[in-house]
Amino acid sequence: MSEIVVKQDSDPITADKKPADKNSVWIIVGVVLVILAVTAGIVVLAGQSSEITTKVRDIFIILLALEMFAIGTALIILIVQVAALTNLLQNEVKPILNSTTDTVNTLKGTVKFLSNNVSEPVIKLNQSLASLNRVLELLKLRK
């Protein structure tokens, strides 16, 4: 017969954290490298002529403009998505909630009706039978 070996981690929470820890370490290393590169660029540009520094400054201004364009586009997409979500909530979820509320109210009425017309008479009948049974026991007609 072949044996099946099942490997179980002693701590499943630790097993889930390992990939996240690696990703966070790489993110931190990336941020540190970017900061070091910017610092090195500033030091190198400090010793250069003003013409080179002006060209680099212009390139950074263009890159910032492109970044602002990308952020603006993302913001427009976000606004459109929020509008679509609002429309979904108003036109689809709200009617479902209203229908559910109506159903719950109908069930409340049904439960009250059944309680008044079925449960209470049965309880009163059982109560009367129990009191009759107790009276018969007291009169020693029944054990």
Side-chain angles (χ1 to χ4, degrees):
M1 286 210 176
S2 63
E3 292 183 17
I4 299 175
V5 177
V6 178
K7 183 180 177 185
Q8 293 181 346
D9 290 334
S10 61
D11 190 9
I13 295 173
T14 308
D16 290 341
K17 287 186 179 180
K18 288 180 184 176
D21 289 340
K22 278 188 175 181
N23 289 340
S24 62
V25 168
W26 284 112
I27 290 172
I28 291 171
V29 168
V31 169
V32 168
L33 287 177
V34 167
I35 290 172
L36 287 175
V38 169
T39 305
I42 291 171
V43 169
V44 169
L45 285 176
Q48 299 295 323
S49 66
S50 64
E51 182 179 314
I52 294 174
T53 307
T54 305
K55 287 181 182 178
V56 172
R57 183 198 63 202
D58 292 342
I59 291 171
F60 274 118
I61 290 172
I62 292 170
L63 289 175
L64 285 175
L66 290 174
E67 183 181 350
M68 290 302 294
F69 177 74
I71 289 172
T73 304
L75 188 61
I76 290 171
I77 291 171
L78 178 66
I79 290 171
V80 169
Q81 291 296 321
V82 168
L85 177 64
T86 304
N87 185 28
L88 174 81
L89 289 174
Q90 287 179 348
N91 295 327
E92 293 184 22
V93 175
K94 192 173 180 181
I96 291 172
L97 288 175
N98 290 337
S99 174
T100 305
T101 303
D102 292 342
T103 303
V104 168
N105 289 335
T106 303
L107 285 174
K108 282 181 183 178
T110 304
V111 167
K112 283 183 182 179
F113 174 79
L114 288 175
S115 174
N116 291 336
N117 296 320
V118 176
S119 300
E120 284 184 17
V122 169
I123 291 171
K124 287 180 182 179
L125 177 67
N126 283 338
Q127 191 177 27
S128 300
L129 289 175
S131 61
L132 180 64
N133 190 21
R134 183 67 181 147
V135 168
L136 290 176
E137 284 180 9
L138 288 175
L139 295 176
K140 300 198 186 225
L141 296 175
R142 188 162 184 230
K143 239 181 182 181

